[in-house]
Each structure stands twice: as C-alpha cells, then as structure tokens.
Amino acid sequence: MNGIAARQTRVPLAYDPGRGRSVLDALDPSLRGPDWSDLLVGAAGSSPYLARLIGRHGDWLAAHAPKSPDDILAVCLADVAAKAAGSDAAAALMREIRVAKGRAAMITALADLAGAWDLNAVTGALTRTADTLCEAAAAWLLSRESPSGANDAGYCLLAMGKMGAGELNFSSDIDLIALFDDSRYPPSEVLEARTRFVKLTRSLVKLLSENTADGYGFRVDLRLRPSPSTTPVCMAMDAAERYYESVGRTWERAAHIKARPLIDPAAGQAYLDRLTPFIWRRHLDFAALEDVTEMLRKIRSQKGPFPAGSLPGQDIKLGPGGVREIEFFAQTRQLILGGRNPLLRVRPTMDALSALADAGEISADHANALTAHLTALRTWEHRFQMLEDAQTHTVPKSAEARSRVAALSGFASAEAFQADLAAHMAGTHSLTEAFFTPAGSDDPDANAMPTETTLSELGFAEPARAAAVIQRWHNGQIPATRGERSQRLYAGLEETIIQQLGKAASPDQALIQFDRFLSGLPAGVQVFSLFTANLQLLSLIVEICAAAPRLAAYLGRCAQVLDALLDRDFWEPLAGEAALHSDLQDRLKQGQDYEARLDIARRWARELWFRTGVQVLRGIADAAEAGRAFTAIATASIRALLPEVTANFAERHGSPPGHDLAVLALGKLGSAEMTAGSDLDLIIIYDAE
C-alpha cells in the first residue's frame, strides 16, 4: 500500500470523536479500515472544515486511496487542467476550479496531519494547486482572446509573496501582479491591448475568488502592483519598470525577491531580469536595514510587546517572535548582500537562511535554529487555518478552538500545544531581536553631547577642539549628518564612535582623520546604517583613521569601497595577476558601453586597492606581499583595458598605426614593488609600418 495512511508517522486526535465517526460511517467501506479510520476520525472530529471536505469528496478519495499523496494530488491537478480547457462556460470552469481546490486541500491536510509530508511538501502542494488553477483560468480566458492563447499575447502574472516562493499557507490569499509586454504591440495598439488585459484580469479574479455554491478557489490580492490606488489592475511592463526605476521603495524590492512568473514565463523572466538593478543593488544598501526595521517597529506598535504570559489572541505571523521576524531577518540580509552575491538571490525563506549560512553571513547553528522555529510556526498557522478555512494567524481565543488545534496536532491538551508554541516564539525573538535593535539608547539623555571633561577622561589631549568637531557632526553641519534620517542614525552611534576614537593610540589624530572621512561623505544614511548593523566595521574604520590617514581620506571620497568588506574573502590573500585579469575580463562583459566598462574597472581596482591597504594595516600582508598585490592589480587592469581602449580608439579614429603595440612597465610597476601611492610609469611602443 502506497497511500497516505500507509505513510503515517503521527495521528491527529479527535476533539469530537462522535462527529468524526459519523463522517467516517458515511464513507466508502474501503476507508473505514484501520489504515484510514484513525486519521479520518481525528481530522473530521477536530476540524469542521475538514469534516465538510471529507464528507463531500470521500468517494473520490476512496477511488484514489491506494496512491501516494503526491500521485493523488497530481491526478487532481491534471484533471482540473483538462476539464478547464474543455469548459464551454465560465460557470462550469468555476465549479471545476472549486472542486479541485477542495480535493487538493483535503489531500494536503491529510498528508500533513498524518506526517506523510513535511512542511516544504505541504506548502509546495498548496502552491502547485494555486499555480494550476491560475494557469487554467488564465489559459481559458486567453483562448477566447486569441486561438494561440498565451503564446503570443505577452500576458504574464507574477506570483508574489508566499506563492512566489512556493510557501503558500493553508488558507493564504494569493498575491499577483498582472502585466503585459507592451513591446509586442505597435504603439497605436498598446492602449487597446491594455484595455483587453485589464478586463481579462478582472475576469480572472472573478473565476478564482467569487463565492459560489461550491465555495471559492483562491482569494486574489492585486495590491502589490505599483501605486495600486491609481493604476489599472494590469499594467504595461514598460510603465512598471519606469515606476520602480524612479520611485520604487525598499518594501517593493523585498517583495520582488520572491517574484515568480506564470502564464508566459519567458516574458515574465525577461521583465524580472530588467528589474535586477532595482532589486539587487551592488553598492552599499544598508539603509534597507533601517527601512525594514522601521516596518517591523510599526507592526510591533500595533501588535504589542513580546508576550510574556498568555498566548490566546497573539499573532504568530506579525507579532513579536512570529514568522515575519524570520522573513525580515532573511530578506534584509538578502537585500544588503545579494547585489554582490547572486547565490543569495533565492525565493524561499528557508533556502535564504541556508544560503546565508553557506556564504558565512550567519552561523549554521543560527540558520538551523531559525529554520526549526519557522517550521513550527508555519505548522501552527496551518492548524489554526484548518479549523474553518479562515485566513488567520492568531492563537484562538476560545478554549474550545485551542483544544481543537491541540487535538489536530496530537497534543493531549491546549496547555501542551501553547507551551510548544511559546518556546518557538521565544526562540525566534531571541535570535532576531538584536538584528532589529538599533545601536544607542531611546533615552534622550544618552544622546546628549559629551562634555570636555568626558572627552579628557577618554584620552583626548585637546578636549575643547574635539568637542567643537563633534558639535559639527551633532548639529548636522556636515552633509553626512544633515537631514532627519541621517541625524537619527548618527545619534544612535555617536557615543560608540567617540568611545572607539578614545581607544586609539592618539585619539586626537584619529578624530581629525575620522572627521575628514565623515566630511568627505556626500550623505550619511548608507554608511551610518552599515555601522548600525555592523559595529565591528565601525571599529575597523576608526583603526584606519588612527593608523592610515591616506586610506581614511580616500574612504571619504569613495565610500563605495566599503562594499568590499562585505565579501567573504576580504581578508584572504589576493589572487595572482592571471586570476585577477580573468576576473576583471568577466566583469567588463557586464558593461553596456565603453564608459560603463571603464567605471567597472575603476570600482574593481579601488576595492582591491582598499583591501590590500587594510590587510597591510592589520598585519595580514607585509610590504613585499603588498607590493606584489598592488602590482598585480595594476597589471591586470592594463591587460584587461588595453583591448577596450584600442577598440574604442579604432571606432573613433580608425585602427592604430603599425602591426601591434606593447606596454613596458618601468619603475616600481616593473619591479613589482608598488605601494598604495605609486604612479604607473609606462612606455608604449608599436611595430611601425
């Protein structure tokens, strides 16, 4: 036997055994044997919603009971796809969609309760069901627009949120963005095409969402599209791209991490590829951390503090210690680091945690613990939702409902289930709280200006001068601390900055260089957000200011090189010249034109120059090793850029004279003894005609 019952690893208890047995007694005799009876009595006896599904679809279940749960679901989805394609009326299609949704929900719930599927299998099954029903409904509508259907229409749905990540809840809404590829239409036909696709999208929502005698398919939410209050329900891709390029916000970037194309996947993926610079920014983006933290603060202000006592009524999705904290923890780090590390660009939250651990950004133990908590919290969400197919994430307030939830999961009492849930919420909160707690204190006195006496005690030889410099920062008299957001971030860091400067061998000199660094910044939000999230980096910058003034001054002009510190191999010895040359060649291919390729080369060289300088400062590289590293950077740059420069010259002025040219390295470049401040002494010769 290969069915769900044969794969049981646990059995739900029946809160109301009499109701469970009455449902069982009405089923086909093949389902009343010992293999199925406990599972069905437990499910139907604790969940009114599952009791209705089992009673309605019991004969269908009996016909497929010997199959594995994966095969039963596959039969259900294949059946609805075939019947949808042959439907001749919307009413018939709506019925097929709702029958399939009910059967798929029943199979998924039973496989979940029996332990035949783990959480990923459950959420994957729910997502496949939503995908199939969306695609079947859209294909039916498109077939009435054009005989070739979706193949040439350019109509696309982006599955967002949990649907996009393959993580749908038992009673989730589905978040969609409807788009059409306006580049496939002549300009004179774009408006007419948009009108048709707006109508089609509204019909799609009705087919999926409208309540009928057979229930509903999926509730559809289209509000993740750009400016939903002022834009049509289906947008041209070009208009959506312009919106994100101009006014797209951090939460919209985070939402697109999970975006997944449906209907016309090629068109949808091409659109997402064009949005890559918006979603995944290569340079400093720690301001995203503050944006997401602020969103979390707003949620917490509505949901209250972390529960220290009773759990009834607590929201385990949005409340402290809930699912959203883990999702924000992973997504924020993806936003910050994913521009430089494509391996972090994954949709499912658990995959993101695993990728962060593989990249060395969090420990494996941290990732495993958060994954365990997420698994438990999502599983409890499903139990809450199974009671009445309600889109809820809160612990039931009624004692009866809590007892039903406990019974569904095999717990003998509501108190036992609440103890398990409380432990996972506390674990989540403890692992994520520090990441979302800004540096500094909420006490206004903690952010007061330090006195000259305090500065003298910290080791400043000229406390009055130091106080004057800090006063400039404090009062927003430099660009980096100008503006409300920059001031707020700086205020949370001021005490830490001053204490770090006081630890330098010469606090006054360190202060002067740190002032040059701050004063050279055109703005401070990104850098202060970076320091807030990574105080060790602040310590390193102070160390650079104290011991390497030239590096400090350079940082003020080119703060983007701080990005290099995010790379896992920052402290590793630099690769040889051949490997550097190959790496730069690969990067240059990303440039769209000559100037873009020059900018890529400049950024690449600056980051490696900075990396080598910091390694010398920390004693990781000695003078000879640094000389070879600086020389390798310069040599790789010359070798990679010479063909680019030659081609650009030829395009503008014709081919260079002679048959070939050579670059001779002289001085410290020739002897591989370059320093951070070395010029390049070159002679270029060519083979004349």
Side-chain angles (χ1 to χ4, degrees):
M1 187 175 182
N2 193 29
I4 295 173
R7 297 186 176 195
Q8 288 186 71
T9 60
R10 59 176 181 256
V11 178
L13 303 177
Y15 171 80
D16 182 351
R19 172 69 186 279
R21 282 193 292 270
S22 68
V23 171
L24 182 68
D25 290 343
L27 297 179
D28 186 276
S30 64
L31 296 177
R32 294 185 218 154
D35 292 327
W36 279 95
S37 58
D38 289 344
L39 173 60
L40 294 174
V41 168
S46 294
S47 163
Y49 172 61
L50 294 182
R52 292 193 297 272
L53 287 182
I54 294 168
R56 186 177 303 159
H57 303 292
D59 290 343
W60 181 85
L61 175 62
H64 299 285
K67 299 183 178 75
S68 71
D70 300 89
D71 289 343
I72 298 174
L73 180 66
V75 168
C76 172
L77 299 183
D79 190 43
V80 70
K83 288 181 177 177
S87 294
D88 57 2
L93 175 60
M94 291 170 76
R95 184 174 191 283
E96 295 299 340
I97 285 173
R98 283 147 184 75
V99 169
K101 167 65 184 305
R103 290 172 177 173
M106 176 184 65
I107 293 302
T108 303
L110 292 176
D112 183 4
L113 295 175
W117 280 348
D118 63 12
L119 177 67
N120 287 332
V122 169
T123 56
L126 294 169
T127 304
R128 285 197 303 278
T129 301
D131 285 358
T132 300
L133 298 187
C134 280
E135 289 169 343
W140 187 84
L141 290 166
L142 285 165
S143 69
R144 276 139 184 79
E145 290 284 338
S146 166
S148 57
N151 292 331
D152 63 354
Y155 182 74
C156 173
L157 294 176
L158 291 185
M160 308 293 287
K162 288 183 169 60
M163 182 179 179
E167 302 172 320
L168 271 186
N169 277 331
F170 198 82
S171 299
S172 285
D173 289 352
I174 56 175
D175 296 307
L176 300 173
I177 294 178
L179 302 162
F180 72 98
D181 185 358
D182 47 312
S183 68
R184 299 191 185 186
Y185 297 87
S188 60
E189 297 179 13
V190 169
L191 182 59
E192 189 272 335
R194 189 184 77 170
T195 301
R196 285 190 291 111
F197 289 129
V198 166
K199 181 180 178 182
L200 186 148
T201 302
R202 288 176 177 153
S203 297
L204 176 68
V205 172
K206 180 178 180 179
L207 287 176
L208 293 171
S209 301
E210 187 172 277
N211 262 309
T212 71
D214 299 298
Y216 72 100
F218 281 93
R219 294 176 292 265
V220 179
D221 191 337
L222 299 173
R223 291 174 296 174
L224 287 183
R225 70 185 186 276
S227 290
S229 61
T230 59
T231 55
V233 293
C234 181
M235 293 184 65
M237 289 181 178
D238 182 64
E241 289 174 47
R242 289 200 306 272
Y243 167 87
Y244 292 123
E245 289 169 359
S246 57
V247 295
R249 292 159 289 180
T250 297
W251 74 263
E252 290 169 312
R253 293 177 54 212
H256 276 80
I257 289 176
K258 296 186 176 184
R260 179 171 56 88
L262 300 173
I263 313 303
D264 188 337
Q269 190 57 55
Y271 166 80
L272 290 176
D273 290 343
R274 295 193 294 274
L275 284 189
T276 295
F278 163 69
I279 306 168
W280 306 109
R281 297 178 183 173
R282 179 166 177 77
H283 295 293
L284 283 173
D285 195 29
F286 272 76
L289 171 61
E290 210 226 342
D291 288 338
V292 178
T293 304
E294 185 60 30
M295 284 190 278
L296 190 63
R297 288 195 199 105
K298 290 178 180 177
I299 291 172
R300 287 182 175 178
S301 69
Q302 297 172 354
K303 297 297 179 181
F306 181 75
S310 178
L311 282 180
Q314 285 292 334
D315 190 322
I316 69 171
K317 175 184 178 182
L318 300 179
V323 170
R324 186 54 54 86
E325 291 194 350
I326 302 176
E327 292 176 336
F328 276 12
F329 177 90
Q331 287 181 352
T332 305
R333 289 171 180 260
Q334 286 179 280
L335 284 179
I336 294 168
L337 305 167
R340 297 178 63 85
N341 185 353
L343 296 179
L344 298 178
R345 302 176 191 179
V346 293
R347 296 186 182 104
T349 303
M350 290 183 187
D351 288 358
L353 293 170
S354 178
L356 287 166
D358 290 343
E361 301 299 338
I362 59 175
S363 70
D365 288 344
H366 201 152
N368 291 337
L370 285 177
T371 298
H373 294 317
L374 181 60
T375 299
L377 292 171
R378 295 293 308 278
T379 300
W380 284 120
E381 275 186 320
H382 288 176
R383 299 297 179 269
F384 302 162
Q385 294 166 356
M386 281 179 189
L387 293 185
E388 283 293 356
D389 189 27
Q391 190 194 20
T392 180
H393 311 279
T394 58
V395 181
K397 291 184 178 180
S398 79
E400 178 186 325
R402 291 197 302 277
S403 295
R404 287 181 180 275
V405 167
L408 275 175
S409 296
F411 282 84
S413 68
E415 290 71 26
F417 118 66
Q418 289 180 98
D420 179 82
L421 175 57
H424 286 291
M425 292 180 72
T428 296
H429 194 67
S430 66
L431 288 170
T432 59
E433 180 65 11
F435 184 64
F436 292 111
T437 301
S441 169
D442 292 332
D443 179 3
D445 294 334
N447 292 325
M449 269 287 298
T451 64
E452 292 184 24
T453 301
T454 300
L455 293 171
S456 179
E457 292 172 350
L458 285 173
F460 288 90
E462 299 182 69
R465 182 180 178 185
V469 172
I470 295 168
Q471 185 77 50
R472 289 174 52 244
W473 305 344
H474 192 90
N475 292 342
Q477 294 176 271
I478 60 174
T481 57
R482 199 170 294 150
E484 180 183 351
R485 191 175 181 190
S486 295
Q487 286 245 332
R488 184 174 71 251
L489 288 166
Y490 167 75
L493 290 164
E494 184 176 76
E495 182 180 355
T496 304
I497 290 172
I498 294 168
Q499 289 177 347
Q500 292 288 346
L501 291 168
K503 295 176 183 178
S506 173
D508 297 87
Q509 287 302 311
L511 176 71
I512 291 170
Q513 296 305 327
F514 195 82
D515 180 50
R516 288 179 180 170
F517 163 63
L518 281 189
S519 298
L521 295 173
V525 170
Q526 291 283 8
V527 171
F528 291 144
S529 297
L530 173 59
F531 290 161
T532 300
N534 192 335
L535 292 177
Q536 289 182 332
L537 181 58
L538 174 59
S539 300
L540 175 60
I541 300 304
V542 171
E543 182 181 346
I544 290 172
C545 290
R550 186 168 185 165
L551 276 178
Y554 182 73
L555 272 176
R557 297 192 307 272
C558 303
Q560 294 91 343
V561 297
L562 287 174
D563 276 354
L565 288 163
L566 305 178
D567 285 343
R568 192 176 182 181
D569 58 357
F570 181 82
W571 303 105
E572 297 297 322
L574 221 57
E577 187 272 326
L580 292 179
H581 175 228
S582 176
D583 179 50
L584 180 54
Q585 280 185 313
D586 290 341
R587 292 172 186 260
L588 291 178
K589 294 174 184 177
Q590 301 171 14
Q592 299 299 314
D593 53 38
Y594 177 68
E595 290 299 330
R597 289 189 284 275
L598 292 184
D599 286 340
I600 289 171
R602 293 183 187 109
R603 289 194 298 266
W604 178 86
R606 281 199 302 258
E607 289 185 2
L608 293 181
W609 179 88
F610 175 68
R611 173 177 162 185
T612 303
V614 174
Q615 288 189 7
V616 172
L617 175 65
R618 280 288 176 92
I620 295 172
D622 59 25
E625 290 169 329
R628 290 192 292 271
F630 286 126
T631 301
I633 296 168
T635 305
S637 299
I638 293 168
R639 287 184 59 196
L641 287 175
L642 182 58
E644 300 287 342
V645 174
T646 302
N648 181 259
F649 181 91
E651 184 178 330
R652 291 189 298 164
H653 306 292
S655 298
H659 299 291
D660 211 344
L661 61 81
V663 179
L664 297 182
L666 304 176
K668 286 185 167 58
L669 177 60
S671 61
E673 297 174 311
M674 286 185 66
T675 66
S678 294
D679 293 333
L680 298 183
D681 297 313
L682 306 173
I683 294 178
I684 299 177
I685 59 176
Y686 68 97
D687 182 10
E689 296 268 348

